[in-house]
Amino acid sequence: MFSRDRLTRELMPMSATPEHLLADFPPASYEEWRKAAEKLIKGAPFDKKLVTTTAEGIATQPIYRREDVAELPHADSLPGQAPYLRGRLAAGYLEQGWRVSQELPCATPTAFNTAARAAVEAGQTELNASELSLASAADVAAALKDLPLEKVSLNFQAGANALPLVRLLAAHAKERGLAPEALRGCVASDPLAMLARDGALPSALEETYGQMKALLEFGQRETPSLELIGVNTAPYHDGGCNAVEELAFALATGAEYLRALISRGLSVDAVAPRIRFSFSVGSDFFMELAKLRAARLAWAQVVAAFGGSPEAQAMRIHARTARWNKTLIDPHTNILRATTEAFSAVLGGCDSLHVGAFDEVAGGNDPIASRLARNTQLVLAEECETRRVLDPAGGSYYIEWLTDTLATRAWMVFQELERQGGMAAALIAGIPQRLTETTARARLTAVGQRKSTVIGVNNYPNPKEVSLRPAPAKRAPSTGAVTCAPVPPRRWSEPYEALRAACEAYRAREGHAPTIFQANIGESRLYRARADWTSNFFRVGGLEVIADKDFATPEAAAEAARASGAKVAVITTTDETYATAVPALAPLLRQAGITVLVAGQAGDSEAAWREAGVADYVHVRANNHETLVRVLALLGVK
């Protein structure tokens, strides 16, 4: 077996040193690198080809250098020190790993208890009750029976007023003979998240914040280790907002709670450490990693502005994998999305984490799906050894620059929300809703145009796959003491899921899938990429594409199209052949009552081709979803 030292000796002459190697590879300047890059892209504009603009409107460069981070004010900060850019704890995960906080979607105490005991046995370290309602001491006793509360923490979302539940939990801990400090984790009161999600609060804000004050005063005496205030950004992330907006909404919500409680006589140092922030983490790996680092940085500034101590400036972060980007179509791809999201959350320094199962958005509770999700965390912790590295992203020029850029942009949006009177006033005025709606529409348009690829959904479909069924929608209350327009939850695959569902209903009704005929003129091996791209363009909508034959003549293609019974046909061939094939084939198809499409752009021939009978064109600039809607309408699919 080779040791590393032996391998080095055998590969490198004794006289060679790293310095000699460096002499063989002299450093290149940025200008030299850029000149070489521009040569490779063969005259294409550098900014168009190599600079990427994110959903946040941030233009990211292909390469970052020391100069890009030289002026950043917190570049030399350390883990465990304000402003906590590099993590809340000095030892990172070395002494205390993040808490495995899988949501247990159980509605009754006994069901929750059964699921929780199995989860703890399998490695879960925090009891996350996402749907549980505990209304009495008996409910609490049944839910927590035989669970080791001295070893596992809690993560309960308690709506607008957590005080009744916290009282029940404190009484239960006393009955079990546990010290007050034994109850750890978070039992969160988060009225503004409830307002954003449901559009209503049961109590006026003055009363709600009074209840929050009473909650903290009780907690100081009876549950000193529990975090009692939540700032949950899931309503906005699920609505389609971007990372800058999500950060700004979190900061504005946290600032609102601080201001409300300080004005009622509590100190910032008593309030800030009792807040747990909960962020959804999407699949833009570096953006989401940087988001958690930027959140800590910006929140430290907020708490400092209220006069908080360095210790109070530390942000507690729970992370959960996003719902926005999960799919009912080809759902096993959700495993890959959730894995990268979990990795982002861990490298970003979360304190607790939920990884969604691949069937989560369908409301599924498959044991295998749940086990895969939980084990994703355990593999990251134990096999990937991510707990052994302090702030692994720290020092990366790109990530440090992106962290600062996110924090700066989020701060600007946060300041605007503050000018509007704070987060509650902004929600009532509809400002976060409008920002989220605008961003979501732009992101959905990018999916429809296939500028954003959703594997299995708007690209690379599995035609034989049967989609998961959607979870039943939950109605939000329409009235309350405080009301606003709710932020509607969305997922980026929903428009395509609707198309697939319509095609499945058509198949059940008609006995076959809606069909389109692909008229490949000439040998398709000569234009294989275009032929496959064209078939894929329609299959993502649930259409069956007849594309298994090539045709030597337009007449042969027209006869086959008539025999297929298809009502729509798409002409596909080489660039050189279109000029003769389209004018010859399109009239024959129209005479047979078939709507004619062309896979490509007409250019100067558009008027002539329209006259010949071409109804529409499919190409890389076409909006895929809008085109599919029109085609399905032609086929009678509703």
Side-chain angles (χ1 to χ4, degrees), residues 385-465:
E385 298 191 339
T386 51
R387 294 194 304 183
R388 297 179 180 272
V389 184
L390 297 182
D391 186 26
S396 160
Y397 299 149
Y398 173 48
I399 293 174
E400 296 292 6
W401 173 88
L402 185 58
T403 297
D404 183 76
T405 300
L406 271 175
T408 300
R409 293 197 176 203
W411 193 266
M412 294 171 64
V413 179
F414 162 58
Q415 287 180 313
E416 181 57 35
L417 294 171
E418 289 289 279
R419 282 191 287 269
Q420 298 300 321
M423 191 61 178
L427 279 168
I428 293 168
I431 296 169
Q433 296 92 321
R434 288 193 292 273
L435 288 172
T436 300
E437 175 75 18
T438 299
T439 300
R441 288 191 177 279
R443 297 176 79 179
L444 289 170
T445 296
V447 171
Q449 294 172 333
R450 301 206 294 182
K451 292 179 180 178
S452 293
T453 295
V454 187
I455 301 300
V457 177
N458 71 349
N459 218 335
Y460 312 112
N462 177 3
K464 297 180 180 179
E465 182 230 0

Side-chain angles (χ1 to χ4, degrees), residues 195-243:
L195 180 62
R197 183 194 66 202
D198 299 339
L201 281 179
S203 304
L205 284 172
E206 283 295 314
E207 182 180 350
T208 299
Y209 292 147
Q211 294 166 346
M212 191 178 283
K213 177 193 176 186
L215 169 66
L216 284 182
E217 290 176 334
F218 178 85
Q220 286 172 348
R221 299 190 307 269
E222 305 293 339
T223 59
S225 299
L226 275 182
E227 295 146 11
L228 298 171
I229 301 172
V231 176
N232 187 354
T233 64
Y236 312 106
H237 194 110
D238 291 349
C241 78
N242 61 40

Side-chain angles (χ1 to χ4, degrees), residues 448-451 458 496 529-530 533-538 570-572 575 578 597-603 606 609-610 614-628 630:
Q449 294 172 333
R450 301 206 294 182
K451 292 179 180 178
N458 71 349
Y496 283 89
R530 172 176 289 159
W533 182 92
T534 302
S535 299
N536 185 58
F537 186 95
F538 294 102
V570 56
I571 302 173
T572 312
D575 290 343
Y578 274 125
L597 311 178
V598 170
Q601 294 178 290
E606 182 169 2
W609 289 5
R610 291 279 184 188
V614 175
D616 208 345
Y617 302 88
V618 297
H619 47 79
V620 292
R621 292 187 178 86
N623 186 300
N624 174 256
H625 181 262
E626 291 178 359
T627 303
L628 290 171
R630 293 195 296 271

Side-chain angles (χ1 to χ4, degrees), residues 458-482:
N458 71 349
N459 218 335
Y460 312 112
N462 177 3
K464 297 180 180 179
E465 182 230 0
V466 177
S467 304
L468 295 176
R469 297 297 179 187
K474 295 182 180 179
R475 290 184 174 273
S478 57
T479 59
V482 182

Side-chain angles (χ1 to χ4, degrees), residues 48 200 245 295 298 315 320 349 601 614 620 633:
K48 184 175 181 180
E245 292 160 350
M315 175 186 266
R320 75 156 349 264
Q601 294 178 290
V614 175
V620 292

